[in-house]
Each structure stands twice: as structure tokens, then as C-alpha cells.
């Protein structure tokens, strides 16, 4: 994580030549005195410890962003409880930070804790945002991520992606003996767990917007078929009851529907079905391979790939299957599109003489920009803030790793996971 | 009858552990000849058909003339052996994106099944699947497995 921040620093400090998009974002510095506590005695010490852990997590969250930079945090800098809501700005101004983030951790009689966070503009001496949470002690990380998001949103106006989940396929071994399991974790790598046993091959996990449900492709019947897993309860069921190969699931932005590919004839077409069940509705009818559907954030449009022109290209259609139109026209093939959560961009995998690279384009096909140099990148997945993309990169020996890259430029950073990984998916911000 | 044979083949192919899990199977007669049976059948299938794998051009699911020759011979053999079932497994191109590899592998497997059925093989005797870009090595191919 430290390496990440350094890379961003270098990127920002250096020229914009590295950045493939013209503008490097301006960086806002943030002063974060350790979260304090109104409690005293042993309980007070315990709360201060949680406060310090949360402070470190907030700083680590903000370091990962291109837009915010926390100043060095020091444990002895903690402020009194009244200063949380009434900071003495004169004390902070000489330190040069634009933002001040204060907070407290308080124990409650029901055994839970309350965590509050406040964001101030130091030079103007005004409060920009505040938020409070009551939650079990063990969930302090979530509150800390929310505090990070509070500061991030105050600066950028976009939701933070700190309290989000990532699902991917964990790979162990190489070749035909490779064991694949669906893995699930917080976006900072915490709470990592495996959701499938590894007895059969799995592919393409896709999280519902709030990460409560997960659709993935299972081969345990011998043929690829989508299963729908309730992440909390651990129960799962086939997405459709039809005996046909089906794959490439993606939730609609409100989580109520799943678009996917199914082969009821000799080729794959795009269907949509309620995430609670129902009869699949067919959206495409071309005699070509149509796959990888992804909804626009308003749920009214779907981008997908089709090889109907002879090579894979990106198409956009209305959510009822009408109005299909091609949007990609560059050399080679375009595949694996995913619509950004803010609706502004479509990420894709390009295949041509330069190999497989990740790129983005506007939903009308303009402003095509390549973010990676390949040569074996695939499966782009947007962060909730639409500023970052996670993708899978095939490295030496057929092994696969996950990387993330900022859409405004810079080098891809490897994601730290216990094993090899492919097919990443990133949830929306959790409420 | 076919069901019984299939059960035996599956159980025996999975090895002795499986046979212990299903002890009633061992009471149904000698196992050894059946093991030789499926292996011999597979060997004969491969030899008489000229192979168990057919290959495609990049990014398409069009059967080539050599592939049709192999499949025609396979169909004739499968028609003579109603006791076996055949699994058709498709593969994508190496280097293809994940879902397209899965889809094109499935389409290739469907092409093979349609051709075998056209050549008189009963639908019930064949099933298809796709491994997409997984199980590397084969690429742009369909394997026809007797089981």
C-alpha cells in the first residue's frame, strides 16, 4: 500500500507525459490527528486504540487515491474531545494542510461503539461534512472507510470506493491441475475469504451493487452455468432452470436484474432475468456470438460485445433489446466492456497487433484511450468512484495477477492477494 | 440398459474409491472386463475415426474439410455403439478474452454436435460443453470423448 502512494506521488510530481489523459489531478493535503475519545480509564484506552487503528486505515485509504494526500500521522498529535467539533484552526494552518479530518470513538452501554468523523476546510475555517456511525466494535474498519469516503467526496464530489468489496477467481497451481475458487474481500484486502471449495472450475464472479449477492459461472455440472450465491447466508441456486450453457452474468445497477449470455441455439445470445427468478427474456437474435453485457448506470442501456461483423466489436442497445448500434471501429477486436458507475466511460479489452490491452471510450465510441500496454490484459472492472479500473494480467508461466490503474494515467499497481487471481469484479459503495 | 453401462463406466473411470462408495456395483458382475471395454472402445474410436480432436481457424466455428472427414468416421462408429455416450468439449483461441473464448468454444462444440446428428447420431447420445480459454494447450479445437 505504501508503494502505491509513492507511485501516485511520483506520477503527480513528475510530468504528465506518463499520463495518457491530459490532466493530472491536483492533490489536496489532509491533516488527520488521531481519532480521540470522550471515554476515560481502561475503556478510554481501548477506544483510543481503535481510534489510532482507524486513523492509520484512513491515512492508508487516502494515500491510495490520486486526489488526496494525508500528511504524516503521529500518535501524539491527538486532540481533545471538544476540538473534534470545534477545531482550533490557528493551530493547523501553519502545517499547510488544506483539509482537516477529526473524529472520535465512543463506547456505548449496549457494547457497540459510536464513531464520528468531521471534515474541515482549514484556511476557511469551515466544516465541509460530518458523519456518525454506531456499529459493533469488530466493524470499526467499515466506519474508518466511511470517514475516508467523507473526505474523498468532500474534495472530488464523487463517492469513495473504500468501503467496497472485490470478488475474483483465486488460482492455485498452473496448467490443468490449477485449482480455482471464488474469493471475496474488502477492497483494501481485509476479510479475505473463499466462497467455493475448488472442486470444480469457476469463472467470472459478479457482485450485486451492495455485494450481498454474487453471480458466478460454475462448471460443476460439466457445463458452464451461472449460480447465484447469497454471500451472507451462503445459499446458492442456479440462475436459470434451462438446460443450456449460460455465462457472463452482470447485475443491473439497482440489483433487480441480471443480464447474461445463454446458448439456446447454436450461438450465444444475451438474455435478462430477474435476480429473484423468473423467465429469461431474450434481447439479441444475431447468428453470432453476443456476450459480456453491462448495464449503463440508469439501467436503460446495455453495452455488449458481438462478433457479428466478423470480429468482436462493442455494441450498445436499449435494455429491451431494441436500437442496437456499433460503437467500436478501431483496428482489431474489442471485448469485455463494462460501463463506468458514473456513466461517462466504457472500459474494454482491445485485441490487435499490440496484444491485449485495457482501454476506455465514451459510450458513443469517441475519445478512445488506452490505459495499459498489455500484452495480455483482460477483464476490466470499474471502482465505484469511476476513477480506477481493476483488471487481470497474464504473466510468465501462464500465471495471472490482478492490477489496478487510475484512469487519469500512471502505471498499473499489483493488487496484493494470497494466490494468483483473475476475473476481478468491484462492488458499488456500500451503505 | 444404456444407463447401467453408463453408470459402470463412470464409476470405474473414477477409480476404485468410487467403487467403494457404491458397493452395490461390485455385486453386479465382473468389473475388470468393463474397464478394458471402455479403454478398448476409446482406442478403437480414435483409430478408426482418425483422431478425437478437430481444429478450427482463428476466431471461427466453421468445420474444415479434414474435420468433416474425421467427424463422418466418428459418426459411423458412434452409430455402431449405442451403448456409449459422447461428450463434445469445445475450446476457445488462446489469447482470446475470457467470455468470448467460452462462447466460441461452445459454438464449436455445437457445430460438431449438429454435424454428428446430421450424420445420423441420436441427439441423446451426445452432449456438449465448453472450457473456453481454460485447460490450455488445445486451443481452437473440439475434443470428442467417449464415456
Amino acid at each position: 500500500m505504501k508503494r502505491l502512494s509513492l507511485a501516485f506521488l511520483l506520477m503527480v510530481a513528475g510530468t504528465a507525459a506518463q499520463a495518457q489523459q491530459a490532466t493530472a489531478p491536483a492533490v489536496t493535503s489532509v491533516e488527520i490527528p488521531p481519532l480521540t475519545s470522550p471515554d476515560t480509564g481502561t475503556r478510554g484506552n481501548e477506544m483510543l486504540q481503535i481510534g489510532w487503528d482507524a486513523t492509520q486505515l484512513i491515512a492508508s485509504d487516502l494515500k491510495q487515491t490520486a486526489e488526496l494526500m494525508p500528511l504524516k500521522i503521529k500518535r501524539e498529535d491527538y486532540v481533545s474531545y471538544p476540538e473534534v467539533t470545534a477545531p482550533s484552526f490557528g493551530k493547523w494552518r501553519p502545517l499547510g494542510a488544506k483539509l482537516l479530518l477529526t473524529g472520535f470513538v465512543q463506547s456505548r452501554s449496549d457494547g457497540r461503539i459510536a464513531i464520528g468523523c468531521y471534515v474541515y476546510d482549514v484556511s476557511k475555517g469551515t466544516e465541509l461534512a460530518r458523519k456518525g456511525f454506531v456499529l459493533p466494535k469488530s466493524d470499526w474498519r467499515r466506519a474508518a472507510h466511511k470517514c475516508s469516503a467523507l473526505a474523498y467526496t468532500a474534495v472530488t464530489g464523487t463517492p469513495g470506493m473504500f468501503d467496497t468489496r472485490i470478488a475474483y477467481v483465486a488460482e492455485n497451481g498452473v496448467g490443468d491441475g490449477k485449482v480455482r475458487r471464488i474469493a471475496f474481500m474488502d477492497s483494501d484486502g481485509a476479510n479475505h475469504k473463499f466462497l467455493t471449495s475448488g472442486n470444480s472450475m469457476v469463472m467470472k464472479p459478479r457482485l450485486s451493487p451492495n455485494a450481498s449477492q454474487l453471480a458466478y459461472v460454475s462448471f460443476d455440472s460439466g457445463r458452464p452455468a451461472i449460480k447465484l450465491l447469497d454471500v451472507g447466508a451462503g445459499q446458492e441456486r442456479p440462475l436459470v432452470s434451462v438446460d443450456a450453457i449460460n455465462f457472463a452474468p452482470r447485475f443491473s445497477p439497482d440489483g433487480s436484474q441480471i443480464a447474461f449470455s445463454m446458448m439456446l441455439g447454436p450461438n450465444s445470445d444475451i438474455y435478462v432475468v430477474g435476480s429473484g427468478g423468473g423467465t429469461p427474456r431474450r434481447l439479441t437474435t444475431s447468428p453470432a456470438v453476443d456476450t459480456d453485457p453491462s448495464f449503463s448506470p440508469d439501467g436503460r442501456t446495455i453495452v455488449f460485445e458481438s462478433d457479428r461483423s466478423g470480429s468482436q466489436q462493442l455494441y450498445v442497445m436499449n435494455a429491451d433489446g431494441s436500437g442496437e448500434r456499433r460503437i467500436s471501429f478501431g483496428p482489431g477486436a474489442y471485448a469485455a466492456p463494462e460501463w463506468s458507475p458514473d456513466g461517462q466511460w466504457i472500459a474494454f479489452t482491445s485485441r490487435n497487433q499490440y496484444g491485449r490491452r485495457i482501454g476506455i471510450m465514451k459510450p458513443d465510441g469517441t475519445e478512445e484511450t488506452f490505459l495499459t500496454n498489455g500484452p495480455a490484459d483482460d477483464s476490466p472492472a470499474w471502482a465505484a468512484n469511476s476513477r480506477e479500473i481493476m483488471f487481470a494480467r497474464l504473466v510468465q508461466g501462464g500465471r495471472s495477477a490482478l492490477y489496478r490503474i487510475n484512469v487519469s494515467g500512471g502505471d498499473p499497481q499489483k493488487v496484493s492477494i494470497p494466490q494468483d487471481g483473475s476475473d476481478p469484479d468491484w462492488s458499488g459503495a456500500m451503505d | 440398459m444404456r444407463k447401467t453401462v453408463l453408470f459402470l463406466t463412470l464409476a470405474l473411470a473414477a477409480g476404485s474409491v468410487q467403487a467403494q462408495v457404491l458397493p452395490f456395483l461390485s455385486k453386479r458382475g465382473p468389473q475388470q472386463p468393463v474397464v478394458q471395454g471402455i479403454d478398448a472402445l476409446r482406442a478403437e474410436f480414435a483409430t478408426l475415426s482418425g483422431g478425437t480432436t478437430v481444429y478450427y481457424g482463428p476466431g471461427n466455428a466453421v468445420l474444415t474439410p479434414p474435420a468433416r472427414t474425421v467427424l463422418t468416421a466418428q459418426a459411423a462408429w458412434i452409430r455402431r455403439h449405442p451403448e456409449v455416450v459422447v461428450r463434445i468439449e469445445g475450446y476457445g483461441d488462446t489469447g482470446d478474452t475470457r467470455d468470448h473464448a467460452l462462447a466460441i468454444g461452445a459454438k464449436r462444440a455445437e457445430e460438431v454436435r449438429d454435424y454428428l446428428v446430421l450424420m445420423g447420431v441420436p441427439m441423446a447420445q451426445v452432449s456438449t460443453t465448453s472450457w473456453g480459454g481454460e485447460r490450455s494447450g488445445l486451443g481452437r479445437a473440439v475434443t470428442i470423448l467417449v464415456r
Side-chain angles (χ1 to χ4, degrees):
Chain A
M1 290 302 154
K2 284 243 168 69
R3 246 188 309 143
L4 247 176
S5 65
L6 216 124
F8 280 127
L9 256 184
L10 288 176
M11 185 198 92
V12 172
T15 67
Q18 282 277 354
Q20 294 177 24
Q21 259 185 311
T23 50
V27 180
T28 303
S29 54
V30 191
E31 180 74 53
I32 315 172
L35 268 55
T36 188
S37 176
D39 299 336
T40 52
T42 332
R43 182 163 290 170
N45 287 339
E46 192 192 354
M47 294 303 119
L48 283 176
Q49 181 59 48
I50 294 176
W52 176 238
D53 291 342
T55 307
Q56 292 178 84
L57 188 56
I58 293 168
S60 143
D61 278 348
L62 297 183
K63 271 184 190 174
Q64 284 181 52
T65 70
E67 297 88 353
L68 276 76
M69 176 51 60
L71 299 186
K72 188 173 167 52
I73 51 169
K74 297 190 210 81
R75 193 160 192 179
E76 62 274 17
D77 274 356
Y78 77 92
V79 296
S80 68
Y81 182 56
E83 278 184 87
V84 170
T85 47
S88 23
F89 292 106
K91 182 169 114 190
W92 301 110
R93 278 189 192 115
L95 300 176
K98 180 145 179 29
L99 285 195
L100 173 69
L101 193 161
T102 64
F104 67 86
V105 185
Q106 183 173 22
S107 67
R108 288 167 49 100
S109 52
D110 61 5
R112 295 188 295 169
I113 54 173
I115 294 185
C117 280
Y118 302 78
V119 178
Y120 301 95
D121 182 315
V122 177
S123 56
K124 290 186 187 147
T126 53
E127 181 184 312
L128 298 176
R130 67 164 77 185
K131 228 168 193 178
F133 317 93
V134 173
L135 67 184
K137 223 183 282 176
S138 56
D139 278 356
W140 64 266
R141 299 181 67 93
R142 291 201 60 187
H145 288 317
K146 297 282 189 205
C147 295
S148 309
L150 194 68
Y152 185 82
T153 306
V155 170
T156 65
T158 57
M161 68 306 180
F162 311 107
D163 191 22
T164 54
R165 306 288 175 269
I166 288 166
Y168 69 98
V169 174
E171 303 186 348
N172 197 12
V174 288
D176 291 354
K178 197 182 268 188
V179 174
R180 294 178 178 78
R181 289 181 286 179
I182 303 292
F184 182 73
M185 63 183 188
D186 295 355
S187 63
D188 62 358
N191 299 315
H192 189 282
K193 59 186 172 188
F194 297 108
L195 300 182
T196 60
S197 69
N199 290 334
S200 58
M201 195 170 102
V202 291
M203 268 181 74
K204 287 276 160 165
R206 296 288 187 197
L207 292 162
S208 65
N210 65 4
S212 64
Q213 283 189 304
L214 182 141
Y216 71 100
V217 178
S218 166
F219 284 70
D220 70 358
S221 69
R223 343 174 65 187
I226 300 165
K227 287 190 172 181
L228 198 55
L229 173 71
D230 183 315
V231 176
Q235 289 162 336
E236 66 177 19
R237 62 171 177 87
L239 180 66
V240 291
S241 50
V242 190
D243 179 27
I245 287 175
N246 60 93
F247 54 98
R250 251 205 203 91
F251 283 87
S252 62
D254 65 0
S256 70
Q257 291 186 306
I258 294 174
F260 63 104
S261 293
M262 182 156 67
M263 291 189 54
L264 281 181
N267 64 80
S268 124
D269 280 303
I270 291 168
Y271 292 75
V272 67
V273 70
S275 50
T279 310
R281 202 154 39 86
R282 184 170 172 171
L283 299 184
T284 65
T285 53
S286 90
V289 169
D290 298 337
T291 187
D292 260 330
S294 170
F295 284 93
S296 61
D298 63 8
R300 293 162 65 179
T301 322
I302 293 174
V303 63
F304 64 100
E305 67 163 81
S306 174
D307 62 7
R308 61 186 65 174
S309 73
S311 70
Q312 290 159 269
Q313 298 296 335
L314 305 187
Y315 294 77
V316 166
M317 64 181 170
N318 300 325
D320 64 0
S322 66
E324 289 180 354
R325 57 205 179 271
R326 179 171 164 178
I327 61 163
S328 66
F329 293 95
Y334 290 79
E338 185 170 278
W339 215 305
S340 69
D342 66 2
Q344 295 298 304
W345 296 98
I346 288 168
F348 58 84
T349 304
S350 150
R351 283 174 69 211
N352 56 27
Q353 71 268 32
Y354 303 111
R356 277 202 325 252
R357 298 179 295 163
I358 306 297
I360 54 175
M361 63 170 69
K362 289 286 183 184
D364 64 2
T366 59
E367 297 185 44
E368 179 179 289
T369 307
F370 288 96
L371 301 178
T372 74
N373 297 321
D377 301 339
D378 195 5
S379 309
W382 286 99
N385 64 0
S386 300
R387 305 262 176 135
E388 272 193 83
I389 289 173
M390 190 171 288
F391 63 96
R393 169 170 283 179
L394 216 57
V395 289
Q396 84 293 343
R399 296 179 61 178
S400 182
L402 302 184
Y403 285 79
R404 50 197 279 186
I405 189 164
N406 197 292
V407 292
S408 47
D411 289 328
Q413 306 296 327
K414 194 170 177 181
V415 177
S416 173
I417 45 174
Q419 301 178 337
D420 294 347
S422 60
D423 293 352
D425 190 43
W426 211 330
S427 79
M430 321 267 298
D431 286 323
Chain B
M1 188 59 212
R2 186 187 298 150
K3 216 174 222 167
T4 315
V5 174
L6 177 61
F7 254 119
L8 280 173
T9 356
L10 284 177
L12 294 169
S16 57
V17 178
Q18 196 70 21
Q20 279 161 10
V21 177
L22 303 171
F24 64 92
L25 281 177
S26 60
K27 294 176 192 152
R28 292 211 177 168
Q31 295 177 13
Q32 204 57 19
V34 184
V35 174
Q36 288 170 340
I38 188 69
D39 285 346
L41 283 171
R42 283 176 177 160
E44 186 187 293
F45 174 72
T47 313
L48 294 184
S49 318
T52 56
T53 305
V54 294
Y55 295 92
Y56 293 81
N60 71 56
V62 180
L63 288 171
T64 61
R68 285 168 191 268
T69 308
V70 170
L71 292 176
T72 304
Q74 287 185 349
W77 185 91
I78 297 166
R79 288 210 317 268
R80 289 199 306 275
H81 292 275
E83 77 279 14
V84 302
V85 290
V86 170
R87 162 82 105 189
I88 302 162
E89 303 191 337
Y91 296 85
D93 302 27
T94 37
D96 198 355
T97 46
R98 309 268 296 159
D99 286 325
H100 189 261
L102 200 60
I104 198 85
K107 191 174 180 181
R108 285 167 176 161
E110 292 292 329
E111 287 291 325
V112 166
R113 185 182 66 171
D114 288 353
Y115 192 80
L116 292 177
V117 170
L118 190 69
M119 292 289 118
V121 173
M123 282 282 260
Q125 224 176 326
V126 289
S127 66
T128 58
T129 192
S130 171
W131 294 107
E134 304 299 330
R135 307 212 166 170
S136 50
L138 277 173
R140 274 168 37 196
V142 166
T143 307
I144 299 91
L145 293 172
V146 171
R147 37 196 282 180

